[in-house]
């Protein structure tokens, strides 16, 4: 099939030994499964019933891909046409429901798979946008939206501010770095290599950021202090900010 119409590259370089479409599908489904587990983990934290597990898993696992395909307007979202996506999301909900992920090592596992899923979708979203003929900047935007969209919708559903809006370690930044790497390597004809590099870089960056507590600077750290201006009342009493006129008073001699 034509790579431009389907949204997948048709690179056949010596490094790309596997069909890029097959690699795309495998990486995309891996991201769906990982985000399904993460959605189920949030449902467990909130002590939801099986319906809550299923809803949050589907929202987290499929939200980013549905946003991607809707923005690209390349037909019905693949999550609704390929049953494997629904099965992968449901499998993530079942895993999170059956296995209680708590403790130090479970928390580390969730951090790693979250970073892995973020890299997967940043790479696939960017690759699909490029395959459909978008320029590099819109493709990067689509990649980042694909990566963070599911988690953002999940957080809104449970009534909390999405984590990507601040107060957490590097997250969307990792997706941005992965999307940029994917653009560069895709243009060089190395789509499969781009997938691997983008996923690996995003996973390492986000995991180390959580470990080291790396964050983007807050607004207070870049505040510019202006010189103190007189209050409105003072300006009004002094003639709208103009200096008061001074009158010469003769001094009387005794």
């Amino acid at each position: 099939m034509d790579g431009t119409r389907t949204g997948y590259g048709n690179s056949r370089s010596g490094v790309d030994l596997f069909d890029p479409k097959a690699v795309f599908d495998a990486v995309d489904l891996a991201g769906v499964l990982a985000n399904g587990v993460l959605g189920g983990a949030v449902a467990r934290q909130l002590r939801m019933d099986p319906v809550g597990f299923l809803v949050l898993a589907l929202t987290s696992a499929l939200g980013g891909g549905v946003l991607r395909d809707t923005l690209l307007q390349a037909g019905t979202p693949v999550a609704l046409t390929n049953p494997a996506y629904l099965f992968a999301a449901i499998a993530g909900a079942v895993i999170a429901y059956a296995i209680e992920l708590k403790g130090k090592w479970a928390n580390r596992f969730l951090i790693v798979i979250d970073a892995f899923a973020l890299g997967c979708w940043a790479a696939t979203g960017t690759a699909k946008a490029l395959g459909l003929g978008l320029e590099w900047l819109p493709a990067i935007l689509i990649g980042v939206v694909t990566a963070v969209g599911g988690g953002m919708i999940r957080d809104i559903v449970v009534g909390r501010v999405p984590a990507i809006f601040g107060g957490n370690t590097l997250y969307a930044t990792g997706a941005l770095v992965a999307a940029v790497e994917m653009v560069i390597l895709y243009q060089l004809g190395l789509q499969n290599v781009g997938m691997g590099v983008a996923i690996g870089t995003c996973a390492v960056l986000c995991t180390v950021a959580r470990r080291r507590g790396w964050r983007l600077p807050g607004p207070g750290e870049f505040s510019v202090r202006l010189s103190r201006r007189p209050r409105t009342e003072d300006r009004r009493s002094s003639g709208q900010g103009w200096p008061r006129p001074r009158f010469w008073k003769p001094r009387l001699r005794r």
Side-chain angles (χ1 to χ4, degrees), residues 3-254:
T4 304
R5 292 183 64 252
T6 59
Y8 308 106
N10 52 6
S11 171
R12 284 287 184 246
S13 65
V15 182
D16 288 340
L17 301 178
F18 302 98
D19 181 13
K21 183 182 183 304
V23 174
F24 179 97
D25 292 339
V27 172
D28 214 29
L29 286 172
V32 170
L33 178 62
N35 274 276
V37 174
L38 292 170
V42 173
R44 180 177 286 277
Q45 291 174 0
L46 299 176
R47 309 182 73 85
M48 293 185 174
D49 60 10
V51 175
F53 273 78
L54 183 61
V55 170
L56 287 190
L58 291 173
T59 301
S60 180
L62 304 179
V66 171
L67 278 176
R68 173 196 67 200
D69 296 340
T70 302
L71 290 173
L72 292 176
Q73 297 184 359
T76 306
V78 67
L80 304 179
T81 59
N82 188 346
Y85 282 78
L86 286 174
F87 289 141
I90 295 172
V94 172
I95 292 172
Y97 185 80
I99 303 174
E100 187 175 4
L101 299 173
K102 68 177 182 178
K104 180 177 66 175
W105 290 104
N107 185 52
R108 291 177 178 177
F109 170 74
L110 291 175
I111 291 173
V112 171
I113 67 170
D114 190 14
F116 170 80
L118 192 73
C120 286
W121 276 354
T124 58
T126 306
K128 191 166 187 176
L130 290 171
L132 289 171
L134 268 66
E135 296 295 331
W136 64 272
L137 188 56
I140 291 175
L141 175 62
I142 293 294
V144 175
V145 169
T146 305
V148 304
M152 182 174 63
I153 297 173
R154 178 196 64 215
D155 291 342
I156 293 174
V157 167
V158 299
R160 64 188 186 189
V161 177
I164 64 167
F165 291 159
N168 63 326
T169 54
L170 300 181
Y171 194 74
T173 305
L176 177 62
V177 172
V180 171
E181 291 176 337
M182 188 68 214
V183 166
I184 295 173
L185 293 172
Y186 189 100
Q187 298 295 344
L188 295 176
L190 302 174
Q191 179 174 341
N192 290 348
V193 175
M195 290 279 185
V197 171
I199 294 170
T201 302
C202 184
V204 171
L205 177 60
C206 292
T207 303
V208 174
R210 289 290 294 269
R211 176 73 174 175
R212 300 289 185 179
W214 294 344
R215 301 173 185 270
L216 292 177
E221 299 180 26
F222 285 109
S223 61
V224 179
R225 293 186 178 181
L226 302 176
S227 59
R228 184 178 179 183
R229 302 177 61 185
R231 293 180 298 179
T232 305
E233 294 81 7
D234 296 339
R235 292 198 301 270
R236 289 178 179 176
S237 62
S238 60
Q240 295 298 330
W242 291 95
R244 293 181 179 181
R246 295 183 178 182
F247 297 98
W248 177 76
K249 294 181 180 180
R251 296 181 63 183
L252 301 178
R253 296 181 179 180
R254 295 181 180 180

